[in-house]
Amino acid sequence: MASDVVQEIETLLGRQAVEELDLEALELAVRQHVLQLAGAAVEQRLNADTSDERGSRTCCRCGQPARFAGRRTKQVESVLGPLRLERAYYHCATCGHGYCPRDQHLGIENTSLSPALTRMTGTVGALVSFQEGSELLTELAGVAVDAKQVERTAEALGKGIAEDERVHTEPLDSISLPQTLYLGMDGTGIPLRAEELLGRTGKQPDGSAKTGEVKLCTIWSAESRDEEGIPVRDEGSVTYSAALESASALDTAAESSPFAQRVWREATRRRFCQAPRRVVLGDGAVWIWNIADDQFQDATQIVDRFHAKQHLSDLGKALYGPTAPRAAQWAERRKEELDTGKFRALLTAIRRQVSRSEEARRCLHYFQTNRERMRYLEFHAQGLCTSTGVVEAGCKVAIGTRLKRAGMHWTVHGANAIIALRCSKLSGRFQDFWERRTA
Ligand SMILES: [Zn+2]
């Protein structure tokens, strides 16, 4: 094969002087030719091995005998280019099922993409749109996988990951637990296709919805400190789990909500309950504290400071107009009161606006209800991270950057597959899934 390669390069180059050479064109042409040669060699080697003919009969999955019915060819796209693979084919007359035992061994059952190309397709599908993913595969790997195929493959992988995640809750690793673990929850809307929205209630004037709410759980540690001694999220400590699913269980239901169960699985994988100190962070949403009260009774509950301040900015704008300098000034003073523990002054200032603003009334209620969760001075003294948007950033990283891009409209199952794929990649869990899948 080595001499074949040299031969190919000679043919491509001809008698051209190096100075006249188009190196880029040469690189690409050589890659294509070398891969083709290698592909042909692999094809030959695999097809020469007919040990997958295990006699004239095997046992079908229905329990009845399946008859050997010759060798069949299947074209598989691979990182070496297309491969034509011949495999022994068995057919069961009882149930009508036909199959090639070798496909399972090679990992090409129910797919026309090879394992390495499947993994690459999952990588691009998790990061960019299916169209962009297809273009990246062509440009970077020199393989042709159209957008539809990227979509199907990435979704199938994501679906597999989502199923795998439900049953694999064993702790991730044996590294020692940090002193404090943080668990954050948040919700974020993603655009859904019109047919998926029927019957969903939302924020549109007529009560209908344009988006579905993805709920996200993220766990991290923050043992590191910046120059001012403020806790900083530890590099590589963050994991995510998310889905478009409900966080509220019916009162009559014996089981907790699908999202509450997801949170529990993630906490189990991270050994959250075994950490010496446990903190649950969220915005003010009631479902978050319900899950925390239910599952992590002795964890410290903290309203993410980023969210609390967001409420004050919004109220400033509602009171004085979105661009008025006074709106920002008013909010700044309130944020300072919040940071310095002057909670009474903060409540008084908001209460003063209640008679003229419905927003202020809601805001007052929010700060009153969550008061215990906003003892920032105290939390600080304990060296706890009160967050400056770690959870919010998690939502953006895990969901927003991939699922909220212009022009995207998701089906629920499509979105959940890509969310599962993304969370698994971002949490460093993809490899584990992949090894289980091919084991
Ligand atoms: Zn059968």
Side-chain angles (χ1 to χ4, degrees):
M1 200 177 127
S3 66
D4 285 353
V5 170
V6 174
Q7 186 66 52
E8 279 294 340
I9 295 171
E10 281 307 318
T11 314
L12 283 167
L13 272 175
R15 296 190 176 281
Q16 255 185 101
V18 171
E19 282 71 22
E20 290 159 21
L21 184 73
D22 179 343
L23 182 57
E24 182 185 2
L26 180 70
E27 292 177 74
L28 295 173
V30 169
R31 173 169 78 175
Q32 209 63 33
H33 277 93
V34 169
L35 290 180
Q36 253 167 34
L37 282 171
V42 168
E43 202 177 83
Q44 234 172 50
R45 173 68 183 76
L46 295 184
N47 291 344
D49 183 329
T50 56
S51 60
D52 57 339
E53 287 171 30
R54 305 161 188 160
S56 60
R57 284 160 187 270
T58 64
C59 187
C60 174
R61 61 183 174 192
C62 75
Q64 296 301 309
R67 246 172 23 86
F68 175 62
R71 300 190 74 76
R72 298 230 171 149
T73 305
K74 169 173 179 160
Q75 176 153 324
V76 175
E77 292 301 323
S78 79
V79 297
L80 303 172
L83 303 175
R84 290 175 59 81
L85 301 179
E86 293 156 12
R87 311 96 70 231
Y89 177 76
Y90 287 83
H91 186 262
C92 165
T94 313
C95 73
H97 177 62
Y99 65 102
C100 297
R102 181 169 282 178
D103 286 359
Q104 201 198 338
H105 298 126
L106 294 179
I108 53 168
E109 243 180 338
N110 311 317
T111 175
S112 59
L113 300 187
S114 73
L117 192 49
T118 299
R119 182 202 285 255
M120 283 187 189
T121 305
T123 300
V124 296
L127 289 172
V128 292
S129 76
F130 303 123
Q131 182 57 42
E132 290 168 315
S134 164
E135 288 161 16
L136 277 179
L137 286 173
T138 301
E139 183 170 347
L140 301 180
V143 289
V145 184
D146 66 37
K148 202 69 209 160
Q149 221 171 356
V150 173
E151 178 173 356
R152 270 200 306 270
T153 305
E155 280 190 9
L157 266 180
K159 192 167 168 258
I161 290 169
E163 285 160 9
D164 179 79
E165 180 273 323
R166 276 171 208 286
V167 290
H168 286 281
T169 54
E170 59 273 16
L172 288 176
D173 39 43
S174 50
I175 50 163
S176 59
L177 271 175
Q179 180 63 22
T180 312
L181 270 179
Y182 298 87
L183 186 153
M185 289 178 258
D186 204 357
T188 184
I190 62 163
L192 292 184
R193 288 196 191 157
E195 66 268 25
E196 298 275 351
L197 290 164
L198 293 172
R200 281 182 184 252
T201 51
K203 292 171 183 165
Q204 297 302 301
D206 64 351
S208 69
K210 272 200 163 163
T211 60
E213 194 177 51
V214 176
K215 299 205 168 56
L216 172 113
C217 164
T218 172
I219 297 183
W220 73 97
S221 66
E223 301 296 291
S224 330
R225 297 287 180 270
D226 67 7
E227 312 86 64
E228 288 156 40
I230 293 170
V232 183
R233 196 180 70 183
D234 300 323
E235 196 75 41
S237 74
V238 62
T239 56
Y240 305 99
S241 188
L244 267 166
E245 66 192 6
S246 169
S248 48
L250 297 169
D251 286 339
T252 51
E255 276 195 337
S256 48
S257 70
F259 183 71
Q261 293 179 38
R262 174 177 304 280
V263 172
W264 184 252
R265 292 194 300 272
E266 188 64 14
T268 308
R269 272 190 291 268
R270 296 299 306 268
R271 294 192 289 159
F272 179 73
C273 292
Q274 280 135 274
R277 286 205 300 188
R278 299 153 305 281
V279 176
V280 175
L281 274 143
D283 59 11
V286 175
W287 57 269
I288 292 175
W289 309 124
N290 285 344
I291 292 175
D293 286 340
D294 253 21
Q295 301 188 350
F296 316 112
Q297 290 92 349
D298 51 359
T300 306
Q301 298 184 358
I302 301 180
V303 166
D304 189 313
R305 201 192 290 238
F306 175 90
H307 279 289
K309 291 188 173 178
Q310 195 76 51
H311 278 270
L312 294 171
S313 295
D314 290 347
L315 180 55
K317 285 175 193 160
L319 290 172
Y320 302 105
T323 56
R326 221 178 141 194
Q329 282 163 16
W330 186 89
E332 277 318 306
R333 244 174 278 140
R334 301 295 86 76
K335 291 177 192 174
E336 209 187 305
E337 288 161 355
L338 185 69
D339 282 336
T340 53
K342 300 191 178 99
F343 213 87
R344 264 208 179 128
L346 173 68
L347 290 181
T348 308
I350 300 172
R351 196 176 289 116
R352 234 177 255 141
Q353 310 294 337
V354 165
S355 60
R356 69 183 185 104
S357 157
E358 175 58 22
E359 286 265 341
R361 199 191 54 75
R362 273 200 297 268
C363 196
L364 180 67
H365 177 73
Y366 172 83
F367 279 89
Q368 277 171 335
T369 341
N370 289 298
R371 184 171 188 158
E372 288 297 302
R373 303 186 179 107
M374 297 190 195
R375 293 171 285 136
Y376 296 124
L377 277 186
E378 205 177 304
F379 298 145
H380 245 234
Q382 296 167 12
L384 293 177
C385 171
T386 55
S387 177
T388 45
V390 175
V391 186
E392 181 87 359
C395 263
K396 282 214 178 83
V397 169
I399 312 297
T401 51
R402 175 67 181 91
L403 288 109
K404 288 210 251 196
R405 299 175 57 183
M408 285 187 177
H409 292 283
W410 295 89
T411 61
V412 171
H413 83 268
N416 275 340
I418 297 305
I419 290 168
L421 175 60
R422 235 181 121 68
C423 286
S424 143
K425 290 246 172 205
L426 288 167
S427 308
R429 293 205 271 258
F430 183 81
Q431 189 60 28
D432 286 349
F433 157 75
W434 190 256
E435 283 165 15
R436 281 196 288 266
R437 174 181 183 264
T438 47

